[in-house]
Amino acid sequence: MKKVKVIKIDVDKCNGCRACEVVCSAFHAAPKYSSTNPERSRIRVLWDPLKDIYVPVLAGEYTEAECNGRDIYTIDGKEYDECSFCRASCPSRNLFKDPDSDLPLKCDMCEEEPPLPEPLCVQWCLSDALTYEEREEEGEEEEKLGEMEVGLESLIKKHGAKTVMDTVARLAKE
Ligand code: SF4
Ligand code: SF4
């Protein structure tokens, strides 16, 4: 079993205070908590008071190339910009890039030692727009395969693919 960490976002409860951006950027400052800069945050709040909406978006995977297509969302009859709700750090925009190094940013769930009871953006969201839960998922087989692959790769590097294959074939017969 593997542990899956989930931040649930209730858009209706977000008031656009941006406390989540402040604390996330402070946590990821160097040294930690030495400064704040929302552009360094791994969570950004899509802010559009005219459309009466604030949508927190957590930074996801980095992508090397921008999409060939675009999505346009219409919610309650209001149309939102292309890419508004996308989580990727992507070349087509400045969102989720470190302002100093330009390196992509990705939410790391505030990994810390000892672990935090909850991610900081959740702790600082006083309107409960962000809530945290952990759940167990079937994942053992996948993890074992991963370990096996890592092990096999190192064996192949050390002994060569043919030797490893011959050894596996011999052991399978025994
Ligand atoms: S702290 Fe909560 S209410 Fe404030 S902007 Fe972030 S998600 Fe919205
Ligand atoms: S979980 Fe932590 S790293 Fe991720 S957005 Fe929230 S404060 Fe930032």
Side-chain angles (χ1 to χ4, degrees):
M1 300 293 276
K2 63 179 176 188
K3 191 193 284 181
V4 179
K5 300 176 175 183
V6 181
I7 294 177
K8 295 168 84 174
I9 301 169
D10 186 339
V11 172
D12 291 336
K13 289 184 178 171
C14 178
N15 59 22
C17 73
R18 301 176 72 190
C20 51
E21 293 183 354
V22 171
V23 73
C24 182
S25 69
F27 180 76
H28 291 94
K32 210 168 261 189
Y33 300 116
S34 61
S35 64
T36 63
N37 178 355
E39 290 191 14
R40 203 191 305 121
S41 174
R42 277 77 167 155
I43 182 169
R44 296 307 301 270
V45 182
L46 171 72
W47 192 76
D48 198 335
L50 288 180
K51 293 179 183 170
D52 195 24
I53 191 169
Y54 307 98
V55 182
V57 180
L58 290 143
E61 296 294 334
Y62 166 67
T63 175
E64 278 182 39
E66 62 185 270
C67 306
N68 289 330
R70 291 284 190 276
D71 300 323
I72 296 179
Y73 284 81
T74 302
I75 303 173
D76 288 338
K78 296 163 190 165
E79 200 170 273
Y80 292 89
D81 289 345
E82 298 171 356
C83 312
S84 287
F85 307 110
C86 180
R87 300 183 57 202
S89 175
C90 154
S92 73
R93 57 184 188 168
N94 288 326
L95 202 65
F96 300 136
K97 285 181 190 149
D98 184 273
D100 301 320
S101 65
D102 214 34
L103 289 171
L105 302 174
K106 181 182 171 189
C107 168
D108 58 8
M109 287 283 173
C110 305
E111 291 292 340
E112 176 76 308
E113 221 27 80
L116 301 176
E118 286 188 326
L120 285 167
C121 56
V122 174
Q123 292 185 41
W124 276 52
C125 181
L126 300 183
S127 56
D128 289 336
L130 307 177
T131 49
Y132 179 67
E133 68 178 38
E134 291 178 355
R135 63 167 187 259
E136 302 262 299
E137 268 187 13
E138 293 289 335
E140 215 165 54
E141 195 179 348
E142 201 175 292
E143 278 170 19
K144 274 183 187 165
L145 273 177
E147 278 174 16
M148 197 188 294
E149 281 165 4
V150 171
L152 274 174
E153 190 180 42
S154 67
L155 284 172
I156 287 170
K157 276 184 185 157
K158 192 168 176 186
H159 303 287
K162 184 168 186 320
T163 307
V164 173
M165 300 276 280
D166 289 347
T167 307
V168 169
R170 179 172 53 78
L171 287 174
K173 279 187 201 157
E174 285 178 5

